[in-house]
Amino acid sequence: KNEVEQSPQNLTAQEGEFITINCSYSVGISALHWLQQHPGGGIVSLFMLSSGKKKHGRLIATINIQEKHSSLHITASHPRDSAVYICAVTWGDKLIFGTGTRLQVFP
Amino acid sequence: EPEVTQTPSHQVTQMGQEVILHCVPISNHLYFYWYRQILGQKVEFLVSFYNNEISEKSEIFDDQFSVERPDGSNFTLKIRSTKLEDSAMYFCAGSSGTPSYNEQFFGPGTRLTVL
């Protein structure tokens, strides 16, 4: 069984701040996903990665396979980044999800 | 851009009734999934479906649940006799290839309320 832990559970920031959300998992995986869930409930895939680093706009995701750890960074945060950020790992034919990090960015 | 659609957006039902949740995945997707999220909790895997059969299912997915892809476009989740604890948001997802190497694209969800 693969356990996915995220920290912090809640995060508040001022607009412009650099944000880091962490994810660790207990068993080796083939891929890790970062997802965004908005207040309405919809889930959007941000990144899927199995090694190294990916960047999309102000978002950067990194993974360290040996340490079983991934981070999601948001540079120059904005109130529209306010959402729940979820780490999930591919395990067999499914995703196993972390509990999510609720981010609020204030102007 | 193609997207996954789900209907209805909200379903209210009485305990013991059957419900069918509908999903239309992206047309070139081959792998399909149902997940659920009980209010305030994390998203949980229910079932994966490939090549017209279940490829993996969780402990939650007991005999009360079934999935079908009857016409090559719709992908449905049926709950035969709903319980109060089935109240949750149900998400359909799909991917174009194996989950190890491909992103999953999620629908907007169906909120199921069992009274």
Side-chain angles (χ1 to χ4, degrees):
Chain A
K1 188 178 174 183
N2 211 335
E3 302 286 343
V4 181
E5 302 285 340
Q6 280 186 244
S7 63
Q9 286 191 311
N10 294 284
L11 188 52
T12 57
Q14 289 295 125
E15 183 173 355
E17 282 185 14
F18 182 83
I19 305 288
T20 295
I21 300 170
N22 295 300
C23 174
S24 59
Y25 50 94
S26 55
V27 183
I29 58 168
S30 53
L32 183 141
H33 305 249
W34 282 103
L35 308 157
Q36 183 188 55
Q37 186 171 33
H38 279 282
I43 297 173
V44 175
S45 176
L46 299 175
F47 294 104
M48 187 187 82
L49 62 167
S50 53
S51 65
K53 176 178 172 177
K54 285 191 177 179
K55 184 175 191 290
H56 185 253
R58 294 180 295 105
L59 302 179
I60 302 165
T62 64
I63 187 168
N64 184 319
I65 297 293
Q66 286 74 31
E67 294 186 5
K68 299 186 179 62
H69 180 269
S70 176
S71 294
L72 176 69
H73 306 286
I74 305 175
T75 61
S77 58
H78 190 276
R80 65 174 175 266
D81 297 326
S82 298
V84 175
Y85 292 83
I86 303 172
C87 170
V89 299
T90 303
W91 182 244
D93 281 349
K94 62 187 177 288
L95 295 184
I96 297 177
F97 293 76
T99 50
T101 294
R102 184 175 300 278
L103 171 65
Q104 287 186 292
V105 182
F106 294 99
Chain B
E1 188 171 323
E3 55 184 28
V4 180
T5 60
Q6 288 187 245
T7 54
S9 55
H10 191 189
Q11 173 91 47
V12 181
T13 191
Q14 294 290 326
M15 190 170 58
Q17 294 296 304
E18 174 183 286
V19 294
I20 299 176
L21 309 184
H22 297 266
C23 171
V24 179
I26 294 170
S27 59
N28 68 343
H29 282 181
L30 301 173
Y31 292 76
F32 310 102
Y33 315 86
W34 283 101
Y35 297 92
R36 79 171 187 191
Q37 185 177 33
I38 294 170
L39 189 63
Q41 297 186 22
K42 63 182 177 181
V43 179
E44 301 173 288
F45 167 77
L46 291 177
V47 66
S48 58
F49 191 85
Y50 170 68
N51 203 24
N52 278 321
E53 59 183 26
I54 290 173
S55 52
E56 190 167 349
K57 60 183 181 179
S58 72
E59 293 168 354
I60 303 166
F61 195 90
D62 61 21
D63 292 345
Q64 293 300 311
F65 290 87
S66 62
V67 288
E68 219 176 27
R69 193 154 184 257
D71 57 9
S73 60
N74 291 288
F75 180 49
T76 62
L77 174 69
K78 183 194 289 188
I79 309 175
R80 266 180 265 286
S81 176
T82 49
K83 307 185 190 90
L84 295 176
E85 54 265 37
D86 293 327
S87 295
M89 183 77 107
Y90 288 80
F91 293 101
C92 168
S95 62
S96 57
T98 64
S100 296
Y101 302 106
N102 294 275
E103 268 184 286
Q104 293 188 22
F105 292 82
F106 289 79
T110 291
R111 182 168 299 284
L112 176 64
T113 302
V114 182
L115 303 175

